[in-house]
Coordinates of all heavy atoms in Angstrom, one line a residue:
M4 N -0.9 23.2 12.6 CA -1.6 21.8 12.7 C -1.8 21.3 11.3 O -1.5 20.1 11.0 CB -2.8 21.8 13.5 CG -2.7 22.0 15.1 SD -1.5 20.9 15.8 CE -2.3 19.4 15.6
G8 N 0.0 17.9 9.6 CA -0.8 16.8 9.0 C -0.3 16.6 7.6 O -0.2 15.4 7.2
L10 N 2.6 17.2 6.4 CA 4.0 16.7 6.5 C 3.9 15.2 6.7 O 4.6 14.3 6.2 CB 4.8 17.3 7.6 CG 5.4 18.7 7.3 CD1 6.0 19.2 8.5 CD2 6.6 18.5 6.2
E19 N 5.2 4.8 1.0 CA 4.5 3.9 0.1 C 5.4 3.8 -1.1 O 5.4 2.8 -1.8 CB 3.1 4.5 -0.2 CG 2.1 4.4 0.9 CD 0.8 5.2 0.7 OE1 0.6 5.6 -0.5 OE2 0.2 5.4 1.6
V27 N 10.0 -2.2 -8.7 CA 10.4 -1.5 -9.9 C 11.9 -2.1 -10.2 O 12.8 -1.9 -9.5 CB 10.5 0.0 -9.9 CG1 11.1 0.6 -11.1 CG2 9.1 0.6 -9.6
L28 N 12.0 -2.9 -11.4 CA 13.2 -3.5 -11.7 C 14.1 -2.7 -12.7 O 13.4 -2.1 -13.6 CB 12.9 -4.9 -12.2 CG 12.3 -5.8 -11.2 CD1 12.1 -7.2 -11.9 CD2 13.1 -6.0 -9.9
D35 N 29.2 -6.4 -23.9 CA 29.1 -7.7 -24.7 C 28.0 -8.7 -24.2 O 27.8 -9.9 -24.7 CB 30.5 -8.4 -24.7 CG 31.0 -8.6 -23.3 OD1 30.2 -8.5 -22.3 OD2 32.2 -8.9 -23.2
M42 N 18.2 -5.3 -10.6 CA 18.0 -4.8 -9.2 C 16.8 -4.0 -9.1 O 16.2 -3.5 -10.2 CB 19.3 -4.2 -8.7 CG 19.7 -2.8 -9.3 SD 21.0 -2.0 -8.4 CE 22.2 -3.1 -8.2
T43 N 16.4 -3.8 -7.9 CA 15.2 -3.0 -7.7 C 15.6 -1.5 -7.7 O 16.8 -1.2 -7.6 CB 14.5 -3.3 -6.3 OG1 15.4 -2.8 -5.3 CG2 14.2 -4.7 -6.1
N45 N 15.3 0.2 -5.4 CA 15.8 0.6 -4.0 C 17.2 -0.1 -3.8 O 17.7 -0.3 -2.8 CB 14.8 -0.1 -2.9 CG 13.6 0.8 -2.7 OD1 13.7 2.0 -2.9 ND2 12.5 0.2 -2.3
E56 N 32.1 -18.2 -20.0 CA 33.5 -17.8 -20.3 C 34.1 -16.8 -19.4 O 35.4 -16.8 -19.2 CB 33.5 -17.2 -21.7 CG 32.6 -16.1 -22.0 CD 32.2 -15.8 -23.5 OE1 31.3 -16.4 -23.9 OE2 32.9 -15.0 -24.1
D60 N 38.2 -16.5 -16.0 CA 39.1 -15.4 -15.8 C 38.7 -14.6 -14.6 O 37.7 -13.7 -14.7 CB 39.3 -14.5 -17.0 CG 40.3 -13.4 -16.9 OD1 40.6 -13.1 -15.8 OD2 40.7 -12.9 -17.9
E62 N 40.0 -12.2 -12.7 CA 40.1 -10.7 -12.7 C 39.2 -10.1 -13.7 O 38.6 -9.1 -13.3 CB 41.5 -10.4 -13.2 CG 42.6 -10.5 -12.0 CD 44.0 -10.0 -12.5 OE1 44.1 -9.1 -13.4 OE2 44.9 -10.5 -11.9
I69 N 32.2 -5.2 -11.0 CA 32.4 -3.8 -10.5 C 31.7 -2.8 -11.5 O 31.0 -2.0 -11.1 CB 33.8 -3.4 -10.2 CG1 34.4 -4.2 -9.0 CG2 34.0 -1.9 -9.9 CD1 35.9 -4.1 -8.9
K74 N 27.1 0.6 -12.6 CA 26.1 1.1 -13.7 C 24.6 0.9 -13.2 O 23.8 1.8 -13.3 CB 26.3 0.6 -15.0 CG 27.6 1.2 -15.7 CD 28.0 0.6 -17.0 CE 27.0 0.4 -18.0 NZ 27.6 -0.3 -19.2
K78 N 21.9 3.7 -12.2 CA 20.6 3.7 -12.9 C 19.4 3.7 -11.9 O 18.4 4.4 -11.9 CB 20.4 2.6 -13.9 CG 19.3 2.7 -14.9 CD 19.2 1.5 -15.7 CE 20.1 1.5 -17.0 NZ 19.8 0.4 -17.9
A85 N 14.2 10.3 -8.6 CA 13.1 11.0 -9.4 C 11.8 10.6 -8.8 O 10.9 11.6 -8.6 CB 13.1 10.4 -10.8
E86 N 11.5 9.4 -8.5 CA 10.3 9.1 -7.7 C 10.1 9.7 -6.4 O 8.9 10.3 -6.2 CB 10.2 7.5 -7.6 CG 10.1 6.7 -8.9 CD 8.7 6.8 -9.5 OE1 7.7 6.8 -8.8 OE2 8.7 6.7 -10.8
D88 N 11.6 12.4 -5.2 CA 11.5 13.9 -5.4 C 10.1 14.2 -5.9 O 9.6 15.4 -5.4 CB 12.6 14.3 -6.4 CG 14.0 14.4 -5.9 OD1 14.1 14.2 -4.7 OD2 14.9 14.7 -6.7
A89 N 9.5 13.5 -6.7 CA 8.2 13.8 -7.3 C 7.2 13.8 -6.2 O 6.4 14.8 -6.0 CB 7.8 12.9 -8.4
D94 N 3.7 17.1 -2.7 CA 2.9 17.2 -1.5 C 3.5 18.1 -0.4 O 2.7 18.4 0.6 CB 2.8 15.8 -0.9 CG 1.8 15.0 -1.8 OD1 0.8 15.4 -2.3 OD2 2.2 13.7 -1.9
M95 N 4.6 18.6 -0.6 CA 5.2 19.3 0.6 C 4.6 20.7 0.7 O 4.6 21.5 -0.3 CB 6.8 19.6 0.4 CG 7.5 18.4 0.8 SD 7.3 18.0 2.6 CE 8.2 19.3 3.3
I98 N 7.3 25.8 3.3 CA 7.6 26.4 4.6 C 8.8 27.4 4.4 O 9.9 27.0 3.8 CB 8.0 25.2 5.6 CG1 6.9 24.3 5.8 CG2 8.5 25.9 6.9 CD1 7.2 23.0 6.6
N103 N 15.1 25.0 -0.3 CA 16.3 24.4 -0.9 C 16.5 23.0 -0.3 O 17.5 22.4 -0.7 CB 17.5 25.3 -0.6 CG 17.3 26.6 -1.3 OD1 16.9 26.7 -2.4 ND2 17.8 27.7 -0.7
F105 N 15.0 20.2 -0.9 CA 14.8 19.1 -1.8 C 15.6 19.1 -3.1 O 15.2 18.6 -4.1 CB 13.4 18.9 -2.1 CG 12.7 18.5 -0.7 CD1 11.9 19.5 0.0 CD2 12.7 17.3 -0.1 CE1 11.2 19.1 1.2 CE2 12.1 17.0 1.1 CZ 11.4 17.9 1.7

Side-chain angles (χ1 to χ4, degrees):
M4 289 307 288
L10 283 170
E19 287 170 20
V27 175
L28 299 180
D35 56 14
M42 68 172 45
T43 70
N45 282 330
E56 59 203 83
D60 185 341
E62 275 184 32
I69 291 167
K74 281 170 53 180
K78 195 186 271 189
E86 291 282 329
D88 283 353
D94 290 321
M95 278 303 285
I98 299 169
N103 297 324
F105 297 103

